[in-house]
Amino acid sequence: MSDVRVRFAPSPTGYVHIGSLRTALYDYVFAKQKGGKYILRIEDTDRTRYVDDAIENLVNALLWAGIEHDEGVFLEDGKIVEKGEYGPYIQSERLDIYQEYIKILLDKGLAYYCFCSKERLDEIREKQRAEGIMKGYDGHCRELSKDEIKARLKKGESYTIRLKMPSDKEITFDDLVRGKITINSNEVDDQVLIKSDGFPTYHFAVVVDDYLMKITHVIRGEEWITSTPKHVYMFEAFGWEAPKYVHLPTVLNSEKKKLSKRHGDVSVSDFKDKGYLPEALVNYLALVGWSPESNKEFFTMDELIEEFSFDRVSKTGGVFDRDKLKWVNANYIRNTDVERITELALPHLIEAGFIKKEEVSEKYDWIVALVASIKDRLSYVGEIGEKVKFLFDNEIKPENDETLEMLRGEQVPALLDAMIEEVESVDEIDADFAKGMMKSIGKKTKIKGKQLFMPARAALSGQLHGPDFDKIIFVLGKQNILERIKYVKDNYL
Ligand code: GLU
C-alpha cells in the first residue's frame, strides 16, 4: 500500500457535471494505479447553494459510473454514512476543526479580523471596476489594534477573518500537468477564510482538510489554478508540506466554450437516463483531456488504470464531442448482451406507450426479440422508441419517393400474394420460419435479390433500410404482417 491519497471534493449542487465525473475518474484511476486511496469529501460550506438529496445523487452517480471510493461518504440502505479514519468527510460537520485552525493563523498574525461592511466592500469593488483595476480588498482592517478588535467583537459586530497575504512574495508550486507555476503575492487578494456566518470559505476548508486527510495529490479543474497560490501559501503559513497539484483542462463544447447546461446534456444523470452505458461514458470521458500512447480508443477500467498518466493529460481544454460519445456508446451496446439492453430499454418502451408495464413478464421473450432486432443500430438505448416506432403502426407510410417507387414495381403484386400465402401457411411465425420465409418465397415466385427483398421490406416497414429483415418478420408476427400487406395493397398499388 502506497501513501498516495487523492480526494474528489464536489460541492453538492444537485447534479454531477460530466467534467466533475472526469475529475473523479482520474482521481480513481490514479489512486488505483499507485495502490493508494481515493476519498470522497463533500464540500458543502456554501449554504446558499445547498440542494436536498444532492449527496445521494452524487454518490449514486459515481456508483453508477463504477468510480468507487475507499473512504468518505457512502450510502447504506439509502442513508448517508461516513467511513474512514479521517472523518467527518462532510465539511459542514467539521466547523469546530476550522475554528481550531483559524485560531492558529490568528495567533501567528497570519490572519486578521475584518469588520468591513458589505456596503463598504461593494463600494471598493465599484471604484476598482470604474478604474479598471481589480485589486481586491484594500487591507482596511489589516492593522487594527488588539484592543479595537476586542472591543468590536464584544459589541457583537459582524466580522470575517481574512488571510494576511505577505507583500511581494514569490509563491511557487509544481503542477504535474503544467510544470512550475510562480505567482507574486501582490497579485493575490487577502482571501476571506471564515465568513460572517462562521462557516469557512472553500479556500480555508480545502487546505485544512487536505492537510488533515493526508492528501498527497490534489486533482481538480483548471478553474482553481488561480486559487492555488493562496492554498500553497496557507500550507506554508501553517508550516505544513503542500500536496502535489494537478489541474485538469476544462471540458469544452464543440464551440470550444465551457460545457454548460445551456448546450444540452451535461449531467451524469442525463446520460444515464438516456441509456448510455456507464462503461462507454467513462471510456469516452477518459479520452477528453488525456491521450494514450497508442491510438487505442476502447479501454476497460482496468486498462485505464494500467495506462493512465498525467504526462499525457493535455494543457488545453478537451472537447466533449457528443457524436464521438454516441459512436463509442453504440460500440459498447453492440458488444453488450441483449438481456442487459432489454432491461435498460424497458422504461423507454413503456414510456413510449409501446408496452404496458403489466404485460412485461408475459411478453418478455418477444420484447427481447424486439430489442435484439434494433440493438446494433442504437447509439443510446433511449432512442429505441423512435427506432422501433414503425413496428407498432400497421398503416405503412413509405418514408420517401424511392420507397413508394419500390412498392409500385411490376413484380410486387405477385410478391405480396406469395407473402400472404406463405404467412397463412403457419399458425404462428417462429424465428426459424422467419429466417427461411423470403428464401422460400424467392424460390416459388422466381423473384430475386433486390427485387425480392426491397419491396418486401418496404411493404412491411415503409423503409428500404433498417434492421435485419428476418428479425422484423419474427417481431411483427403473422397478424401484423397480413394487416400491413393488406394496407399496402389497398393504398399504394
Ligand atoms: N468543491 C470544489 C469544487 O466543487 C473542489 C475543488 C477542489 O478539488 O479543490 O469544484
Side-chain angles (χ1 to χ4, degrees):
M1 182 70 41
S2 77
D3 64 356
V4 164
R5 289 174 58 82
V6 298
R7 85 300 190 275
F8 174 50
S11 299
T13 52
Y15 75 103
V16 185
H17 189 279
I18 279 296
S20 299
L21 188 72
R22 190 197 56 180
T23 303
L25 173 66
Y26 289 2
D27 267 311
Y28 172 83
V29 162
F30 179 70
K32 294 289 151 203
Q33 184 182 76
K34 301 294 175 203
K37 287 262 188 308
Y38 160 53
I39 294 131
L40 175 64
R41 179 172 79 216
I42 304 294
E43 301 206 327
D44 62 343
T45 56
D46 186 351
R47 304 314 279 173
T48 56
R49 291 170 74 195
Y50 186 79
V51 178
D52 277 347
D53 294 335
I55 297 180
E56 286 83 344
N57 292 340
L58 196 114
V59 176
N60 281 328
L62 294 170
L63 210 64
W64 173 77
I67 301 171
E68 291 183 43
H69 46 290
D70 305 296
E71 244 176 65
V73 178
F74 296 82
L75 282 183
E76 257 176 25
D77 301 325
K79 284 212 178 67
I80 297 169
V81 296
E82 298 179 43
K83 290 185 199 168
E85 293 166 46
Y86 299 89
Y89 293 91
I90 299 179
Q91 287 186 329
S92 60
E93 296 170 4
R94 299 172 61 81
L95 300 182
D96 292 350
I97 299 173
Y98 306 126
Q99 288 302 331
E100 184 187 328
Y101 280 88
I102 199 66
K103 273 204 194 88
I104 298 176
L105 289 187
L106 285 168
D107 290 348
K108 286 186 169 193
L110 299 174
Y112 63 93
Y113 288 94
C114 172
F115 297 94
C116 290
S117 64
K118 186 179 169 302
E119 290 69 30
R120 178 166 191 281
L121 296 175
D122 287 347
E123 226 168 79
I124 301 173
R125 204 169 302 125
E126 268 318 303
K127 212 168 141 218
Q128 290 185 354
R129 191 167 295 143
E131 288 167 2
I133 24 168
M134 300 303 287
K135 279 197 293 204
Y137 182 60
D138 63 356
H140 186 73
C141 294
R142 263 177 91 112
E143 306 300 341
L144 297 181
S145 71
K146 279 204 169 109
D147 290 342
E148 178 171 359
I149 293 169
K150 226 183 197 167
R152 294 177 78 164
L153 289 177
K154 210 169 162 197
K155 267 204 293 181
E157 268 187 53
S158 164
Y159 66 87
T160 60
I161 299 176
R162 288 181 184 269
L163 180 62
K164 199 174 209 171
M165 277 312 276
S167 62
D168 215 14
K169 179 181 165 63
E170 300 278 286
I171 304 171
T172 299
F173 64 95
D174 247 324
D175 184 287
L176 263 48
V177 171
R178 285 145 209 274
K180 200 168 169 167
I181 297 179
T182 302
I183 288 187
N184 190 290
S185 63
N186 292 350
E187 291 169 43
V188 184
D189 199 7
D190 279 357
Q191 176 64 48
V192 171
L193 303 181
I194 299 287
K195 294 179 275 187
S196 56
D197 61 3
F199 273 69
T201 53
Y202 155 71
H203 301 283
F204 187 55
V206 80
V207 167
V208 171
D209 289 352
D210 285 343
Y211 168 71
L212 291 177
M213 295 181 186
K214 295 200 167 57
I215 300 304
T216 56
H217 296 75
V218 169
I219 303 166
R220 61 186 172 199
E222 66 182 337
E223 66 271 26
W224 297 108
I225 207 158
T226 51
S227 303
T228 307
K230 289 177 205 172
H231 304 173
V232 170
Y233 173 69
M234 270 189 268
F235 272 95
E236 192 186 315
F238 275 114
W240 301 333
E241 193 191 330
K244 298 209 163 46
Y245 288 94
V246 185
H247 289 95
L248 304 176
T250 307
V251 177
L252 305 172
N253 65 22
S254 52
E255 288 151 29
K256 304 259 161 89
K257 301 225 173 69
K258 197 173 171 198
L259 192 69
S260 83
K261 263 190 171 170
R262 263 171 295 136
H263 301 99
D265 296 333
V266 292
S267 94
V268 175
S269 58
D270 291 335
F271 290 95
K272 174 174 181 259
D273 294 348
K274 287 225 161 104
Y276 282 82
L277 300 181
E279 317 82 286
L281 184 62
V282 160
N283 185 154
Y284 176 64
L285 262 185
L287 300 171
V288 179
W290 170 72
S291 50
E293 265 172 60
S294 63
N295 289 333
K296 199 165 129 175
E297 294 189 283
F298 293 100
F299 288 85
T300 62
M301 195 65 105
D302 284 343
E303 288 167 335
L304 285 176
I305 292 169
E306 178 87 26
E307 295 185 38
F308 181 80
S309 81
F310 289 122
D311 295 348
R312 302 193 62 87
V313 169
S314 93
K315 293 185 185 59
T316 52
V319 173
F320 183 72
D321 178 341
R322 291 170 196 275
D323 290 334
K324 188 74 194 280
L325 169 64
K326 279 189 191 164
W327 179 80
V328 171
N329 198 53
N331 268 281
Y332 272 86
I333 292 178
R334 278 202 290 283
N335 291 313
T336 299
D337 56 56
V338 67
E339 283 75 19
R340 180 169 166 215
I341 302 300
T342 303
E343 283 310 308
L344 295 173
L346 275 173
H348 297 284
L349 292 170
I350 292 170
E351 194 184 305
F354 295 142
I355 288 156
K356 290 199 188 73
K357 218 174 176 169
E358 54 278 13
E359 295 172 341
V360 170
S361 60
E362 174 200 337
K363 287 195 172 171
Y364 197 75
D365 291 345
W366 179 81
I367 299 171
V368 172
L370 171 74
V371 174
S373 77
I374 203 74
K375 174 175 152 305
D376 292 358
R377 297 175 165 266
L378 294 175
S379 297
Y380 54 96
V381 181
E383 65 178 357
I384 192 163
E386 193 51 39
K387 297 246 167 168
V388 299
K389 199 166 73 184
F390 75 96
L391 291 168
F392 292 90
D393 182 1
N394 289 341
E395 296 185 0
I396 292 297
K397 285 162 204 68
E399 66 175 349
N400 51 30
D401 291 348
E402 201 192 343
T403 315
L404 185 61
E405 215 43 48
M406 201 51 88
L407 288 173
R408 297 207 164 131
E410 62 178 320
Q411 85 289 19
V412 173
L415 170 61
L416 295 184
D417 285 342
M419 284 169 79
I420 295 173
E421 196 179 311
E422 194 73 11
V423 170
E424 282 184 333
S425 74
V426 286
D427 290 337
E428 205 177 301
I429 292 181
D430 62 20
D432 283 340
F433 179 86
K435 258 202 190 112
M437 183 174 119
M438 289 316 290
K439 220 178 184 176
S440 154
I441 291 171
K443 251 191 210 151
K444 283 182 196 158
T445 58
K446 309 243 166 358
I447 304 170
K448 286 195 196 93
K450 236 180 137 179
Q451 299 297 313
L452 176 73
F453 278 98
M454 289 304 228
R457 183 187 277 278
L460 294 192
S461 70
Q463 306 166 8
L464 295 182
H465 305 281
D468 283 354
F469 195 48
D470 50 358
K471 288 190 175 136
I472 296 180
I473 292 173
F474 176 64
V475 172
L476 283 174
K478 180 172 171 175
Q479 227 33 56
N480 289 317
I481 292 177
L482 291 174
E483 270 179 43
R484 283 176 184 226
I485 295 175
K486 180 171 185 321
Y487 188 85
V488 167
K489 281 174 101 176
D490 291 349
N491 289 278
Y492 304 114
L493 259 45

